[in-house]
Amino acid sequence: MTSSWLDLQVVWMAINIFLFLWFYFFYDLGDQFFYTRHILGCCGRTMRKQLDKNISFHKLVAYMIGLMTAVHTIAHFLNVEWYYNSRLGKYDDLSMALSSLDDSGNTTFLNPIRSTTTTPTLLVFTSVAGITGVIITLSLILIITSSMEVIRRSYFEVFWFTHHLFIVFFAGLVIHGAGRIVRSQTTTNPPHNATFCKDRIDDWGKIQECPVPQFAGGFPQTWMWVIGPMILYVCERLLRFIRYMQTVKYRKIVIRPSKVLELQLVKNGFKMDVGQYVFLNCPAISQLEWHPFTMTSAPEEDFFSVHIRSVGDWTQKLISIVEQMGVDGPFGTASEDVFDYEVAMLVGAGIGVTPFASILKSIWYKFKDSNPKLRTRKIYFYWLCRETHAFEWFADLLQLLEREMEERGMGSFLTYKLYLTGWDQSHANHVMVHADADTDVVTGLKQKTNYGRPNWDKEFEQVRKENPTSVVGTFLCGPAVLATVLSKKCVKYTDVDPRKTKFYFNKENF
């Protein structure tokens, strides 16, 4: 009974591990092949949206591995206790006889506790299955606990390094089955008739119907589940190492007053799409740490750029040390699909505006070149910031777009609204004094800055009213709380009539 239960747990864990490794591979590598998503066409929008939820799936499979590990471990503890009690004869004569089977070759026993002096604790720390079980369980505990958002946000280095304990976890998992602690009865010649012989223990080996029963551990099979994804993962890491070794040159470095570092970089053969991100590595800080940043440049430019806000130890050091850096990417994100929609709502919070900087730049270049492939006919852009300095580096691009759209008679193509969510009384007084100015006192733009947070019901209702028969792509790069709000609004304001307005929600994930 217990052996069958453990077998079931092993199979279920193997399935979860296979899914985990397979999706771990696609989490890293799948985004690189972003062109494959475009060949799906509009009919593949739903599939692309699911691919953009790779991190959510990654977490879900990890939770299942954690849950099944707990169940598997508890089942082993119960089994070991039962094995020990059976060896001491605390149950019936049959369990004691099975535990006491003599086996000089030490290969056909049933009970792994081979003597009465072997305690469950001693078995755990002296057997292959026990030692590897302790190692992989501790590794999994460290991986899961260090993945909590509070640690990931505040101590990214802890999260980054402990997450690589997955190597120890899977290595131990492959070896774990070699202990063959879960055993089943093998066929003897003549066969052992368990129904007839279970009440004739003294006749075992003496009569033909009851030869001494033989047992064997199952062949380790974990490697069969992990070898495919592991090979793909190793190939992917080699590819990323080759790309990392390619020289990256600086084109321009700008330190913004709002503690934002702008890097314009050049790399041979580098191609990107709007909204994609790259991993940056600065060996002067750490040889192993890679951090994701959304590119703010457009594909039409001969360089790629990122804007990095100082929010932690690594970014603070990076702003001080920019002489050495490695780049890995680009990687695909949900924002790549923005041009698949006739109407797009772009929502950025703080530095989360970076993917939309790339999109708006690309639109500007497409208009300059009169690109016939530009399907998008209307963009609504919302930017939420806590402080006025954050608007500085992006205002120039918006001013350029304002002027370009007016010159081409397309002033209605881009509707943008800036929201300042934090201010003091002195700032409010300054705004009141200049309330009648033609341009905004904060940004210098014709569109005045709004104070507070958007009324999303009002915004969605306006978009639906102005686009009664369109499919609207709503894109967010911001906090999870705002994502929950916008996803609900997309459902609320999507019309049940397929001929009318529909909203599709997309969120950036790193």
Side-chain angles (χ1 to χ4, degrees):
M1 177 74 72
T2 54
S3 295
S4 299
W5 171 244
L6 277 172
D7 288 342
L8 179 62
Q9 302 307 316
V10 170
V11 171
W12 181 244
M13 274 196 64
I15 293 173
N16 279 279
I17 292 163
F18 175 77
L19 290 173
F20 175 85
L21 279 174
W22 187 262
F23 211 87
Y24 192 96
F25 164 72
F26 280 112
Y27 166 62
D28 281 340
L29 182 61
D31 284 337
Q32 298 177 36
F33 300 106
F34 54 88
Y35 291 114
T36 61
R37 297 200 298 171
H38 291 277
I39 66 174
L40 297 175
C42 294
C43 62
R45 181 178 290 120
T46 301
M47 183 178 293
R48 295 199 302 271
K49 284 171 65 63
Q50 296 307 314
L51 289 175
D52 290 327
K53 296 179 181 179
N54 53 355
I55 295 181
S56 298
F57 187 84
H58 176 85
K59 292 179 180 178
L60 178 61
V61 174
Y63 292 148
M64 288 303 301
I65 289 179
L67 174 62
M68 300 314 297
T69 297
V71 173
H72 183 85
T73 302
I74 292 172
H76 266 311
F77 281 147
L78 292 175
N79 264 354
V80 170
E81 186 67 23
W82 292 332
Y83 280 141
Y84 182 67
N85 290 336
S86 295
R87 189 71 187 182
L88 296 179
K90 292 184 177 181
Y91 300 131
D92 52 24
D93 293 337
L94 178 60
S95 61
M96 185 174 182
L98 290 171
S99 299
S100 303
L101 287 175
D102 185 28
D103 180 20
S104 58
N106 205 36
T107 57
T108 60
F109 60 90
L110 173 60
N111 193 333
I113 296 181
R114 305 301 297 140
S115 70
T116 56
T117 59
T118 303
T119 63
T121 303
L122 184 62
L123 177 66
V124 169
F125 290 100
T126 56
S127 63
V128 173
I131 295 174
T132 55
V134 170
I135 291 174
I136 61 181
T137 301
L138 290 177
S139 298
L140 187 63
I141 291 173
L142 289 173
I143 290 173
I144 293 176
T145 54
S146 66
S147 299
M148 298 172 62
E149 186 171 2
V150 63
I151 295 179
R152 193 172 68 252
R153 298 292 183 187
S154 303
Y155 306 97
F156 184 84
E157 294 81 1
V158 175
F159 160 74
W160 178 261
F161 289 118
T162 56
H163 223 62
H164 282 76
L165 286 174
F166 82 91
I167 299 174
V168 177
F169 177 85
F170 286 110
L173 200 62
V174 170
I175 301 172
H176 185 62
R180 304 195 180 194
I181 197 171
V182 179
R183 308 175 71 79
S184 59
Q185 188 170 354
T186 59
T187 302
T188 57
N189 187 19
H192 181 93
N193 188 336
T195 303
F196 176 77
C197 300
K198 64 184 180 65
D199 297 321
R200 294 175 171 81
I201 300 173
D202 294 336
D203 293 331
W204 286 2
K206 298 178 180 179
I207 61 176
Q208 185 175 7
E209 294 83 356
C210 299
V212 177
Q214 304 289 303
F215 298 87
F219 180 74
Q221 297 182 3
T222 304
W223 65 272
M224 299 170 62
W225 292 86
V226 304
I227 190 169
M230 276 296 183
I231 290 174
L232 293 175
Y233 177 77
V234 170
C235 292
E236 182 263 344
R237 299 307 299 185
L238 289 174
L239 175 62
R240 292 181 64 171
F241 178 75
I242 292 172
R243 295 197 306 186
Y244 163 69
M245 295 302 294
Q246 295 173 346
T247 303
V248 179
K249 298 179 180 179
Y250 292 96
R251 186 178 184 273
K252 187 178 181 181
I253 300 174
V254 180
I255 304 293
R256 301 289 180 178
S258 52
K259 294 184 179 180
V260 173
L261 170 66
E262 178 184 356
L263 295 177
Q264 294 184 7
L265 308 170
V266 178
K267 187 176 182 180
N268 291 334
F270 189 92
K271 295 181 180 180
M272 61 164 289
D273 205 345
V274 294
Q276 292 185 322
Y277 64 96
V278 293
F279 280 99
L280 299 186
N281 168 263
C282 183
I285 301 175
S286 172
Q287 291 280 353
L288 301 177
E289 287 185 53
W290 292 82
H291 294 260
F293 296 95
T294 302
M295 289 180 287
T296 55
S297 53
E300 292 81 1
E301 294 176 310
D302 59 355
F303 63 91
F304 65 97
S305 63
V306 294
H307 285 71
I308 303 171
R309 183 162 59 97
S310 178
V311 292
D313 293 340
W314 192 88
T315 51
Q316 290 174 359
K317 292 177 182 178
L318 180 66
I319 291 177
S320 302
I321 309 172
V322 293
E323 289 77 12
Q324 301 183 55
M325 181 176 294
V327 177
D328 185 16
F331 298 90
T333 66
S335 296
E336 294 177 53
D337 301 330
V338 66
F339 295 127
D340 292 339
Y341 296 91
E342 293 181 352
V343 180
M345 294 178 66
L346 313 180
V347 183
I351 200 67
V353 74
T354 49
F356 307 132
S358 173
I359 291 170
L360 294 177
K361 282 184 180 181
S362 183
I363 289 173
W364 180 66
Y365 280 108
K366 285 178 169 61
F367 270 112
K368 283 184 62 178
D369 301 334
S370 299
N371 192 324
K373 295 182 180 180
L374 183 62
R375 294 179 53 197
T376 309
R377 57 179 179 80
K378 179 67 178 179
I379 286 183
Y380 298 87
F381 174 57
Y382 306 85
W383 189 10
L384 290 66
C385 283
R386 295 178 181 175
E387 54 184 18
T388 58
H389 294 300
F391 289 119
E392 295 174 358
W393 68 271
F394 198 55
D396 293 342
L397 174 60
L398 291 176
Q399 289 177 349
L400 187 63
L401 287 171
E402 270 188 340
R403 185 168 60 253
E404 184 74 17
M405 299 304 171
E406 287 182 359
E407 291 176 356
R408 294 176 178 270
M410 298 186 67
S412 61
F413 174 82
L414 174 65
T415 297
Y416 66 90
K417 297 182 180 181
L418 310 182
Y419 291 85
L420 185 62
T421 58
W423 65 90
D424 54 26
Q425 188 59 43
S426 61
H427 177 79
N429 295 335
H430 181 65
V431 171
M432 291 175 62
V433 171
H434 298 85
D436 296 330
D438 293 333
T439 57
D440 183 65
V441 66
V442 177
T443 63
L445 296 166
K446 294 182 179 180
Q447 175 69 44
K448 299 297 181 69
T449 298
N450 299 280
Y451 293 85
R453 301 184 184 278
N455 182 335
W456 291 115
D457 285 303
K458 180 180 177 181
E459 298 300 330
F460 273 81
E461 184 61 45
Q462 179 183 350
V463 173
R464 184 170 69 173
K465 182 179 179 180
E466 294 178 358
N467 307 275
T469 60
S470 299
V471 177
V472 182
T474 304
F475 296 84
L476 168 69
C477 188
V481 175
L482 183 55
T484 302
V485 172
L486 294 181
S487 62
K488 291 180 179 179
K489 299 304 179 186
C490 286
V491 174
K492 178 180 178 180
Y493 287 95
T494 293
D495 203 294
V496 294
D497 188 341
R499 296 168 296 179
K500 295 185 178 180
T501 310
K502 289 190 177 298
F503 291 87
Y504 287 92
F505 179 69
N506 304 268
K507 184 182 182 300
E508 295 292 313
N509 289 296
F510 297 106

